[in-house]
Amino acid sequence: MQTQTIITTTAATVLTLGVDAIYFDYKRRNDPEFRKALRRDRKKYVKVQKQQEAAASAQQRDAIAHALLQVEIEGFPEDVDQKEAFFMNEVAQGEGLCQEGPERALDAALCFYKALKVYPQPKDLISIYDKTVPKHVLDILAEMIASDGSIPIGGPGESGPGVE
């Protein structure tokens, strides 16, 4: 008796879903107002998605700006030995945060940014980051670098008079 109830319920559910699918397809093909409503709903959905993406992007930019301001307030070590220890610590922290997942991407990028600020050859370190750091963290790091003009990215032969 119990098996037959399960079979009957399953058959009724499948039949209902099948009838709904057939009815939806019929309405979609034959009713112009229904098609217009579907198009309106799709456009509305796309518009909402774009607004949410823009809001998320603005929120991330604000978080990056706040984090960079906080880093500048904290400052960086001046002594060469302190810079080296600071660099190693920040890179290790950044790698650890990368392993924790995408939700820690901003913190990881901030650690890599701090390490980049004390590294004597930032361009070389950026090329290393390109090969080793996950893309989502690298994108945030690129935004940080772009908003900070104090990091010399160009090499010695890439800027100056006569270069076009």
Side-chain angles (χ1 to χ4, degrees), residues 97-132:
L97 290 170
C98 281
Q99 299 300 321
E100 290 183 21
E103 62 276 352
R104 299 300 303 266
L106 180 62
D107 297 330
L110 191 60
C111 289
F112 289 127
Y113 172 79
K114 289 178 184 179
L116 184 66
K117 287 286 280 190
V118 298
Y119 197 74
Q121 298 293 328
K123 186 176 180 182
D124 296 340
L125 187 58
I126 289 171
S127 67
I128 293 169
Y129 285 164
D130 283 337
K131 297 172 188 166
T132 59

Side-chain angles (χ1 to χ4, degrees), residues 6-7 12 32 35 42 50 63 66 77 121 125 145 147 157 164:
I6 293 172
I7 292 173
R35 284 194 301 268
R42 189 177 323 122
K50 285 182 181 179
H66 178 71
Q121 298 293 328
L125 187 58
I145 293 169
S147 64
E164 295 181 15

Side-chain angles (χ1 to χ4, degrees), residues 1 13 18 35 40 55 84 103 127 146:
M1 186 77 177
T13 303
R35 284 194 301 268
R40 266 192 311 259
E84 184 178 339
E103 62 276 352
S127 67

Side-chain angles (χ1 to χ4, degrees), residues 61-121:
R61 279 193 304 274
D62 290 344
I64 288 172
H66 178 71
L68 291 179
L69 182 63
Q70 189 66 30
V71 166
E72 291 300 322
I73 290 171
E74 290 173 7
F76 298 98
E78 297 296 325
D79 184 36
V80 174
D81 293 333
Q82 290 176 341
K83 281 185 177 182
E84 184 178 339
F86 181 79
F87 171 80
M88 295 303 287
N89 182 41
E90 292 300 321
V91 168
Q93 265 187 315
E95 289 174 350
L97 290 170
C98 281
Q99 299 300 321
E100 290 183 21
E103 62 276 352
R104 299 300 303 266
L106 180 62
D107 297 330
L110 191 60
C111 289
F112 289 127
Y113 172 79
K114 289 178 184 179
L116 184 66
K117 287 286 280 190
V118 298
Y119 197 74
Q121 298 293 328

